[in-house]
mmCIF file of all heavy atoms in Angstrom:
data_model
loop_
_atom_site.group_PDB
_atom_site.id
_atom_site.type_symbol
_atom_site.label_atom_id
_atom_site.label_comp_id
_atom_site.label_asym_id
_atom_site.label_seq_id
_atom_site.Cartn_x
_atom_site.Cartn_y
_atom_site.Cartn_z
ATOM 1 N N MET A 1 -19.078 13.676 10.543
ATOM 2 C CA MET A 1 -20.239 13.917 9.682
ATOM 3 C C MET A 1 -20.351 15.390 9.326
ATOM 4 O O MET A 1 -20.712 15.746 8.190
ATOM 5 C CB MET A 1 -21.512 13.432 10.375
ATOM 6 C CG MET A 1 -21.585 11.918 10.509
ATOM 7 S SD MET A 1 -23.202 11.302 11.026
ATOM 8 C CE MET A 1 -24.181 11.629 9.566
ATOM 9 N N GLU A 2 -20.037 16.266 10.279
ATOM 10 C CA GLU A 2 -20.126 17.699 10.012
ATOM 11 C C GLU A 2 -19.074 18.139 9.002
ATOM 12 O O GLU A 2 -19.377 18.831 8.026
ATOM 13 C CB GLU A 2 -19.960 18.485 11.322
ATOM 14 C CG GLU A 2 -21.089 18.316 12.323
ATOM 15 C CD GLU A 2 -21.054 16.987 13.053
ATOM 16 O OE1 GLU A 2 -19.994 16.296 12.999
ATOM 17 O OE2 GLU A 2 -22.066 16.616 13.670
ATOM 18 N N SER A 3 -17.800 17.725 9.218
ATOM 19 C CA SER A 3 -16.735 18.129 8.293
ATOM 20 C C SER A 3 -16.924 17.490 6.925
ATOM 21 O O SER A 3 -16.653 18.111 5.891
ATOM 22 C CB SER A 3 -15.370 17.756 8.866
ATOM 23 O OG SER A 3 -15.212 16.352 8.991
ATOM 24 N N ALA A 4 -17.409 16.230 6.893
ATOM 25 C CA ALA A 4 -17.644 15.552 5.617
ATOM 26 C C ALA A 4 -18.750 16.248 4.824
ATOM 27 O O ALA A 4 -18.658 16.397 3.597
ATOM 28 C CB ALA A 4 -18.006 14.088 5.862
ATOM 29 N N GLN A 5 -19.818 16.687 5.500
ATOM 30 C CA GLN A 5 -20.918 17.355 4.812
ATOM 31 C C GLN A 5 -20.450 18.658 4.184
ATOM 32 O O GLN A 5 -20.762 18.953 3.022
ATOM 33 C CB GLN A 5 -22.065 17.618 5.798
ATOM 34 C CG GLN A 5 -23.311 18.222 5.161
ATOM 35 C CD GLN A 5 -23.980 17.301 4.152
ATOM 36 O OE1 GLN A 5 -23.894 16.086 4.257
ATOM 37 N NE2 GLN A 5 -24.634 17.887 3.147
ATOM 38 N N LYS A 6 -19.694 19.462 4.944
ATOM 39 C CA LYS A 6 -19.162 20.720 4.403
ATOM 40 C C LYS A 6 -18.237 20.446 3.227
ATOM 41 O O LYS A 6 -18.273 21.144 2.208
ATOM 42 C CB LYS A 6 -18.416 21.477 5.495
ATOM 43 C CG LYS A 6 -19.307 22.029 6.601
ATOM 44 C CD LYS A 6 -20.191 23.148 6.085
ATOM 45 C CE LYS A 6 -20.999 23.790 7.215
ATOM 46 N NZ LYS A 6 -21.897 24.855 6.712
ATOM 47 N N THR A 7 -17.406 19.413 3.363
ATOM 48 C CA THR A 7 -16.470 19.063 2.293
ATOM 49 C C THR A 7 -17.211 18.622 1.043
ATOM 50 O O THR A 7 -16.881 19.030 -0.079
ATOM 51 C CB THR A 7 -15.527 17.942 2.774
ATOM 52 O OG1 THR A 7 -14.795 18.399 3.920
ATOM 53 C CG2 THR A 7 -14.549 17.550 1.679
ATOM 54 N N ALA A 8 -18.235 17.778 1.206
ATOM 55 C CA ALA A 8 -19.018 17.300 0.056
ATOM 56 C C ALA A 8 -19.720 18.463 -0.646
ATOM 57 O O ALA A 8 -19.802 18.501 -1.884
ATOM 58 C CB ALA A 8 -20.035 16.260 0.517
ATOM 59 N N GLU A 9 -20.238 19.404 0.116
ATOM 60 C CA GLU A 9 -20.904 20.576 -0.477
ATOM 61 C C GLU A 9 -19.923 21.402 -1.306
ATOM 62 O O GLU A 9 -20.264 21.893 -2.390
ATOM 63 C CB GLU A 9 -21.521 21.433 0.631
ATOM 64 C CG GLU A 9 -22.730 20.782 1.302
ATOM 65 C CD GLU A 9 -23.207 21.543 2.531
ATOM 66 O OE1 GLU A 9 -22.577 22.580 2.860
ATOM 67 O OE2 GLU A 9 -24.181 21.101 3.171
ATOM 68 N N ILE A 10 -18.699 21.559 -0.817
ATOM 69 C CA ILE A 10 -17.682 22.325 -1.553
ATOM 70 C C ILE A 10 -17.296 21.594 -2.836
ATOM 71 O O ILE A 10 -17.197 22.194 -3.912
ATOM 72 C CB ILE A 10 -16.449 22.559 -0.649
ATOM 73 C CG1 ILE A 10 -16.806 23.517 0.483
ATOM 74 C CG2 ILE A 10 -15.283 23.108 -1.467
ATOM 75 C CD1 ILE A 10 -15.746 23.626 1.549
ATOM 76 N N ILE A 11 -17.066 20.276 -2.748
ATOM 77 C CA ILE A 11 -16.714 19.494 -3.940
ATOM 78 C C ILE A 11 -17.842 19.559 -4.967
ATOM 79 O O ILE A 11 -17.607 19.729 -6.171
ATOM 80 C CB ILE A 11 -16.414 18.029 -3.550
ATOM 81 C CG1 ILE A 11 -15.184 17.962 -2.632
ATOM 82 C CG2 ILE A 11 -16.186 17.177 -4.796
ATOM 83 C CD1 ILE A 11 -14.929 16.574 -2.064
ATOM 84 N N PHE A 12 -19.074 19.434 -4.512
ATOM 85 C CA PHE A 12 -20.246 19.471 -5.396
ATOM 86 C C PHE A 12 -20.333 20.815 -6.121
ATOM 87 O O PHE A 12 -20.594 20.871 -7.332
ATOM 88 C CB PHE A 12 -21.504 19.233 -4.567
ATOM 89 C CG PHE A 12 -22.780 19.227 -5.362
ATOM 90 C CD1 PHE A 12 -23.114 18.142 -6.155
ATOM 91 C CD2 PHE A 12 -23.657 20.308 -5.314
ATOM 92 C CE1 PHE A 12 -24.296 18.133 -6.888
ATOM 93 C CE2 PHE A 12 -24.831 20.319 -6.044
ATOM 94 C CZ PHE A 12 -25.153 19.220 -6.839
ATOM 95 N N ALA A 13 -20.079 21.899 -5.400
ATOM 96 C CA ALA A 13 -20.176 23.235 -5.993
ATOM 97 C C ALA A 13 -19.078 23.477 -7.018
ATOM 98 O O ALA A 13 -19.308 24.133 -8.041
ATOM 99 C CB ALA A 13 -20.110 24.293 -4.887
ATOM 100 N N PHE A 14 -17.892 22.937 -6.789
ATOM 101 C CA PHE A 14 -16.754 23.225 -7.663
ATOM 102 C C PHE A 14 -16.656 22.296 -8.866
ATOM 103 O O PHE A 14 -16.135 22.688 -9.911
ATOM 104 C CB PHE A 14 -15.444 23.153 -6.861
ATOM 105 C CG PHE A 14 -15.066 24.448 -6.199
ATOM 106 C CD1 PHE A 14 -15.615 24.782 -4.976
ATOM 107 C CD2 PHE A 14 -14.190 25.329 -6.794
ATOM 108 C CE1 PHE A 14 -15.294 25.969 -4.354
ATOM 109 C CE2 PHE A 14 -13.861 26.524 -6.183
ATOM 110 C CZ PHE A 14 -14.409 26.851 -4.952
ATOM 111 N N THR A 15 -17.120 21.056 -8.736
ATOM 112 C CA THR A 15 -16.898 20.078 -9.800
ATOM 113 C C THR A 15 -18.026 19.996 -10.810
ATOM 114 O O THR A 15 -17.814 19.512 -11.929
ATOM 115 C CB THR A 15 -16.693 18.678 -9.193
ATOM 116 O OG1 THR A 15 -17.859 18.306 -8.436
ATOM 117 C CG2 THR A 15 -15.470 18.660 -8.283
ATOM 118 N N GLY A 16 -19.222 20.413 -10.431
ATOM 119 C CA GLY A 16 -20.349 20.287 -11.356
ATOM 120 C C GLY A 16 -20.834 18.863 -11.512
ATOM 121 O O GLY A 16 -21.540 18.551 -12.485
ATOM 122 N N MET A 17 -20.485 17.989 -10.579
ATOM 123 C CA MET A 17 -20.970 16.611 -10.636
ATOM 124 C C MET A 17 -22.456 16.571 -10.270
ATOM 125 O O MET A 17 -22.996 17.515 -9.680
ATOM 126 C CB MET A 17 -20.172 15.724 -9.669
ATOM 127 C CG MET A 17 -18.670 15.701 -9.913
ATOM 128 S SD MET A 17 -18.195 15.058 -11.536
ATOM 129 C CE MET A 17 -18.708 13.360 -11.410
ATOM 130 N N ASP A 18 -23.112 15.466 -10.610
ATOM 131 C CA ASP A 18 -24.529 15.322 -10.290
ATOM 132 C C ASP A 18 -24.754 14.929 -8.832
ATOM 133 O O ASP A 18 -25.824 15.188 -8.281
ATOM 134 C CB ASP A 18 -25.166 14.279 -11.213
ATOM 135 C CG ASP A 18 -25.167 14.748 -12.668
ATOM 136 O OD1 ASP A 18 -25.488 15.927 -12.892
ATOM 137 O OD2 ASP A 18 -24.822 13.948 -13.548
ATOM 138 N N ALA A 19 -23.738 14.301 -8.226
ATOM 139 C CA ALA A 19 -23.826 13.957 -6.802
ATOM 140 C C ALA A 19 -22.424 13.695 -6.280
ATOM 141 O O ALA A 19 -21.544 13.228 -7.016
ATOM 142 C CB ALA A 19 -24.708 12.726 -6.585
ATOM 143 N N VAL A 20 -22.224 14.004 -5.017
ATOM 144 C CA VAL A 20 -20.942 13.770 -4.351
ATOM 145 C C VAL A 20 -21.227 13.141 -2.995
ATOM 146 O O VAL A 20 -22.132 13.587 -2.272
ATOM 147 C CB VAL A 20 -20.154 15.085 -4.151
ATOM 148 C CG1 VAL A 20 -18.898 14.840 -3.314
ATOM 149 C CG2 VAL A 20 -19.781 15.699 -5.497
ATOM 150 N N SER A 21 -20.479 12.097 -2.671
ATOM 151 C CA SER A 21 -20.665 11.470 -1.361
ATOM 152 C C SER A 21 -19.310 11.175 -0.731
ATOM 153 O O SER A 21 -18.313 10.972 -1.416
ATOM 154 C CB SER A 21 -21.481 10.182 -1.480
ATOM 155 O OG SER A 21 -20.775 9.215 -2.240
ATOM 156 N N ILE A 22 -19.307 11.162 0.604
ATOM 157 C CA ILE A 22 -18.120 10.811 1.382
ATOM 158 C C ILE A 22 -18.560 9.795 2.430
ATOM 159 O O ILE A 22 -19.609 9.954 3.066
ATOM 160 C CB ILE A 22 -17.502 12.045 2.061
ATOM 161 C CG1 ILE A 22 -17.013 13.044 0.999
ATOM 162 C CG2 ILE A 22 -16.352 11.651 2.975
ATOM 163 C CD1 ILE A 22 -16.503 14.347 1.583
ATOM 164 N N SER A 23 -17.763 8.751 2.588
ATOM 165 C CA SER A 23 -18.111 7.713 3.565
ATOM 166 C C SER A 23 -16.895 7.361 4.402
ATOM 167 O O SER A 23 -15.758 7.646 4.016
ATOM 168 C CB SER A 23 -18.613 6.451 2.847
ATOM 169 O OG SER A 23 -17.513 5.746 2.278
ATOM 170 N N ASN A 24 -17.159 6.749 5.568
ATOM 171 C CA ASN A 24 -16.081 6.066 6.272
ATOM 172 C C ASN A 24 -16.187 4.593 5.902
ATOM 173 O O ASN A 24 -16.768 4.258 4.871
ATOM 174 C CB ASN A 24 -16.152 6.314 7.786
ATOM 175 C CG ASN A 24 -17.478 5.865 8.386
ATOM 176 O OD1 ASN A 24 -18.209 5.065 7.787
ATOM 177 N ND2 ASN A 24 -17.797 6.364 9.566
ATOM 178 N N ARG A 25 -15.712 3.696 6.711
ATOM 179 C CA ARG A 25 -15.726 2.285 6.325
ATOM 180 C C ARG A 25 -17.092 1.620 6.528
ATOM 181 O O ARG A 25 -17.347 0.552 5.969
ATOM 182 C CB ARG A 25 -14.672 1.505 7.104
ATOM 183 C CG ARG A 25 -13.246 1.888 6.747
ATOM 184 C CD ARG A 25 -12.263 0.847 7.260
ATOM 185 N NE ARG A 25 -12.503 -0.446 6.651
ATOM 186 C CZ ARG A 25 -11.991 -0.841 5.480
ATOM 187 N NH1 ARG A 25 -11.203 -0.003 4.796
ATOM 188 N NH2 ARG A 25 -12.246 -2.028 4.987
ATOM 189 N N GLU A 26 -17.968 2.264 7.293
ATOM 190 C CA GLU A 26 -19.252 1.625 7.591
ATOM 191 C C GLU A 26 -20.466 2.375 7.062
ATOM 192 O O GLU A 26 -21.447 1.759 6.638
ATOM 193 C CB GLU A 26 -19.436 1.448 9.113
ATOM 194 C CG GLU A 26 -18.485 0.460 9.762
ATOM 195 C CD GLU A 26 -17.127 1.057 10.062
ATOM 196 O OE1 GLU A 26 -17.074 2.290 10.259
ATOM 197 O OE2 GLU A 26 -16.126 0.311 10.070
ATOM 198 N N GLN A 27 -20.408 3.691 7.048
ATOM 199 C CA GLN A 27 -21.618 4.441 6.738
ATOM 200 C C GLN A 27 -21.325 5.661 5.868
ATOM 201 O O GLN A 27 -20.178 6.097 5.743
ATOM 202 C CB GLN A 27 -22.296 4.901 8.032
ATOM 203 C CG GLN A 27 -21.434 5.842 8.872
ATOM 204 C CD GLN A 27 -22.123 6.249 10.163
ATOM 205 O OE1 GLN A 27 -23.233 5.846 10.450
ATOM 206 N NE2 GLN A 27 -21.458 7.087 10.947
ATOM 207 N N VAL A 28 -22.388 6.172 5.281
ATOM 208 C CA VAL A 28 -22.299 7.408 4.506
ATOM 209 C C VAL A 28 -22.212 8.573 5.477
ATOM 210 O O VAL A 28 -23.071 8.736 6.351
ATOM 211 C CB VAL A 28 -23.537 7.567 3.594
ATOM 212 C CG1 VAL A 28 -23.465 8.879 2.828
ATOM 213 C CG2 VAL A 28 -23.651 6.390 2.631
ATOM 214 N N LEU A 29 -21.163 9.379 5.342
ATOM 215 C CA LEU A 29 -21.001 10.539 6.219
ATOM 216 C C LEU A 29 -21.648 11.782 5.631
ATOM 217 O O LEU A 29 -22.126 12.648 6.362
ATOM 218 C CB LEU A 29 -19.515 10.810 6.465
ATOM 219 C CG LEU A 29 -18.739 9.734 7.227
ATOM 220 C CD1 LEU A 29 -17.276 10.137 7.349
ATOM 221 C CD2 LEU A 29 -19.343 9.497 8.596
ATOM 222 N N ALA A 30 -21.661 11.868 4.296
ATOM 223 C CA ALA A 30 -22.227 13.047 3.641
ATOM 224 C C ALA A 30 -22.672 12.675 2.240
ATOM 225 O O ALA A 30 -22.040 11.850 1.576
ATOM 226 C CB ALA A 30 -21.204 14.178 3.595
ATOM 227 N N PHE A 31 -23.771 13.296 1.800
ATOM 228 C CA PHE A 31 -24.253 13.083 0.436
ATOM 229 C C PHE A 31 -24.917 14.369 -0.039
ATOM 230 O O PHE A 31 -25.776 14.918 0.654
ATOM 231 C CB PHE A 31 -25.243 11.917 0.369
ATOM 232 C CG PHE A 31 -25.538 11.467 -1.036
ATOM 233 C CD1 PHE A 31 -24.891 10.377 -1.569
ATOM 234 C CD2 PHE A 31 -26.441 12.160 -1.836
ATOM 235 C CE1 PHE A 31 -25.132 9.965 -2.868
ATOM 236 C CE2 PHE A 31 -26.692 11.766 -3.134
ATOM 237 C CZ PHE A 31 -26.039 10.660 -3.655
ATOM 238 N N VAL A 32 -24.518 14.824 -1.242
ATOM 239 C CA VAL A 32 -25.080 16.038 -1.827
ATOM 240 C C VAL A 32 -25.410 15.752 -3.284
ATOM 241 O O VAL A 32 -24.586 15.191 -4.014
ATOM 242 C CB VAL A 32 -24.081 17.220 -1.744
ATOM 243 C CG1 VAL A 32 -24.711 18.482 -2.326
ATOM 244 C CG2 VAL A 32 -23.628 17.448 -0.315
ATOM 245 N N GLY A 33 -26.617 16.118 -3.722
ATOM 246 C CA GLY A 33 -26.982 15.962 -5.121
ATOM 247 C C GLY A 33 -28.111 14.973 -5.341
ATOM 248 O O GLY A 33 -28.839 14.604 -4.418
ATOM 249 N N LYS A 34 -28.246 14.531 -6.591
ATOM 250 C CA LYS A 34 -29.328 13.620 -6.959
ATOM 251 C C LYS A 34 -29.124 12.260 -6.289
ATOM 252 O O LYS A 34 -28.019 11.747 -6.224
ATOM 253 C CB LYS A 34 -29.389 13.472 -8.469
ATOM 254 C CG LYS A 34 -29.729 14.778 -9.172
ATOM 255 C CD LYS A 34 -29.798 14.626 -10.677
ATOM 256 C CE LYS A 34 -30.157 15.953 -11.343
ATOM 257 N NZ LYS A 34 -30.206 15.839 -12.807
ATOM 258 N N GLY A 35 -30.227 11.690 -5.842
ATOM 259 C CA GLY A 35 -30.168 10.421 -5.121
ATOM 260 C C GLY A 35 -30.096 10.593 -3.623
ATOM 261 O O GLY A 35 -30.004 9.611 -2.883
ATOM 262 N N ALA A 36 -30.164 11.864 -3.164
ATOM 263 C CA ALA A 36 -30.068 12.122 -1.723
ATOM 264 C C ALA A 36 -31.289 11.617 -0.960
ATOM 265 O O ALA A 36 -31.254 11.530 0.264
ATOM 266 C CB ALA A 36 -29.897 13.622 -1.480
ATOM 267 N N ASP A 37 -32.379 11.260 -1.688
ATOM 268 C CA ASP A 37 -33.582 10.774 -1.006
ATOM 269 C C ASP A 37 -33.370 9.399 -0.388
ATOM 270 O O ASP A 37 -34.039 9.030 0.587
ATOM 271 C CB ASP A 37 -34.749 10.721 -1.989
ATOM 272 C CG ASP A 37 -34.445 9.850 -3.196
ATOM 273 O OD1 ASP A 37 -33.262 9.804 -3.619
ATOM 274 O OD2 ASP A 37 -35.373 9.207 -3.711
ATOM 275 N N HIS A 38 -32.419 8.614 -0.936
ATOM 276 C CA HIS A 38 -32.178 7.294 -0.344
ATOM 277 C C HIS A 38 -30.726 7.058 0.067
ATOM 278 O O HIS A 38 -30.444 6.142 0.828
ATOM 279 C CB HIS A 38 -32.642 6.178 -1.297
ATOM 280 C CG HIS A 38 -31.976 6.196 -2.635
ATOM 281 N ND1 HIS A 38 -32.378 7.019 -3.653
ATOM 282 C CD2 HIS A 38 -30.938 5.474 -3.120
ATOM 283 C CE1 HIS A 38 -31.621 6.812 -4.729
ATOM 284 N NE2 HIS A 38 -30.737 5.891 -4.428
ATOM 285 N N HIS A 39 -29.787 7.875 -0.440
ATOM 286 C CA HIS A 39 -28.401 7.812 0.049
ATOM 287 C C HIS A 39 -28.263 8.851 1.162
ATOM 288 O O HIS A 39 -27.870 9.991 0.932
ATOM 289 C CB HIS A 39 -27.416 8.100 -1.089
ATOM 290 C CG HIS A 39 -27.400 7.062 -2.157
ATOM 291 N ND1 HIS A 39 -26.827 5.820 -1.972
ATOM 292 C CD2 HIS A 39 -27.907 7.074 -3.425
ATOM 293 C CE1 HIS A 39 -26.966 5.111 -3.078
ATOM 294 N NE2 HIS A 39 -27.624 5.842 -3.973
ATOM 295 N N LYS A 40 -28.590 8.461 2.385
ATOM 296 C CA LYS A 40 -28.693 9.428 3.480
ATOM 297 C C LYS A 40 -27.512 9.305 4.434
ATOM 298 O O LYS A 40 -27.096 8.190 4.781
ATOM 299 C CB LYS A 40 -30.003 9.214 4.239
ATOM 300 C CG LYS A 40 -31.240 9.479 3.382
ATOM 301 C CD LYS A 40 -32.512 9.240 4.175
ATOM 302 C CE LYS A 40 -33.746 9.531 3.306
ATOM 303 N NZ LYS A 40 -35.008 9.302 4.047
ATOM 304 N N PRO A 41 -26.977 10.450 4.875
ATOM 305 C CA PRO A 41 -25.885 10.434 5.856
ATOM 306 C C PRO A 41 -26.297 9.717 7.129
ATOM 307 O O PRO A 41 -27.423 9.843 7.596
ATOM 308 C CB PRO A 41 -25.617 11.920 6.116
ATOM 309 C CG PRO A 41 -26.105 12.615 4.890
ATOM 310 C CD PRO A 41 -27.288 11.825 4.425
ATOM 311 N N GLY A 42 -25.363 8.953 7.661
ATOM 312 C CA GLY A 42 -25.623 8.208 8.883
ATOM 313 C C GLY A 42 -26.103 6.797 8.648
ATOM 314 O O GLY A 42 -26.117 5.977 9.575
ATOM 315 N N GLU A 43 -26.509 6.484 7.387
ATOM 316 C CA GLU A 43 -26.993 5.141 7.085
ATOM 317 C C GLU A 43 -25.856 4.283 6.516
ATOM 318 O O GLU A 43 -24.869 4.809 6.007
ATOM 319 C CB GLU A 43 -28.158 5.207 6.094
ATOM 320 C CG GLU A 43 -29.394 5.888 6.674
ATOM 321 C CD GLU A 43 -30.589 5.786 5.746
ATOM 322 O OE1 GLU A 43 -30.423 5.288 4.609
ATOM 323 O OE2 GLU A 43 -31.694 6.202 6.155
ATOM 324 N N PRO A 44 -25.990 2.955 6.584
ATOM 325 C CA PRO A 44 -24.939 2.068 6.059
ATOM 326 C C PRO A 44 -24.707 2.289 4.558
ATOM 327 O O PRO A 44 -25.616 2.711 3.835
ATOM 328 C CB PRO A 44 -25.494 0.663 6.335
ATOM 329 C CG PRO A 44 -26.473 0.849 7.439
ATOM 330 C CD PRO A 44 -27.084 2.213 7.230
ATOM 331 N N ILE A 45 -23.518 1.986 4.103
ATOM 332 C CA ILE A 45 -23.169 2.096 2.686
ATOM 333 C C ILE A 45 -24.010 1.116 1.877
ATOM 334 O O ILE A 45 -24.110 -0.074 2.218
ATOM 335 C CB ILE A 45 -21.667 1.816 2.485
ATOM 336 C CG1 ILE A 45 -20.843 2.881 3.206
ATOM 337 C CG2 ILE A 45 -21.310 1.775 1.009
ATOM 338 C CD1 ILE A 45 -19.369 2.567 3.294
#
């Protein structure tokens, strides 16, 4: 979760996307950008 969050923040800063997320097979590991109020790290996909 820690490495995914840092990675998502870097991708978000470089790409100019509105939101970036990284997940494993079960849950969201990191989410940055719009929609972060309900797409929360640690919760199921």
Side-chain angles (χ1 to χ4, degrees):
M1 291 191 70
E2 293 76 15
S3 64
Q5 184 64 29
K6 291 292 185 182
T7 300
E9 290 171 0
I10 291 170
I11 296 173
F12 181 75
F14 272 84
T15 60
M17 302 298 294
D18 294 317
V20 173
S21 64
I22 297 175
S23 76
N24 58 19
R25 293 195 62 86
E26 293 82 27
Q27 62 181 0
V28 178
L29 295 178
F31 192 98
V32 182
K34 296 180 179 179
D37 57 327
H38 59 278
H39 294 287
K40 296 179 179 180
E43 294 187 354
I45 296 169

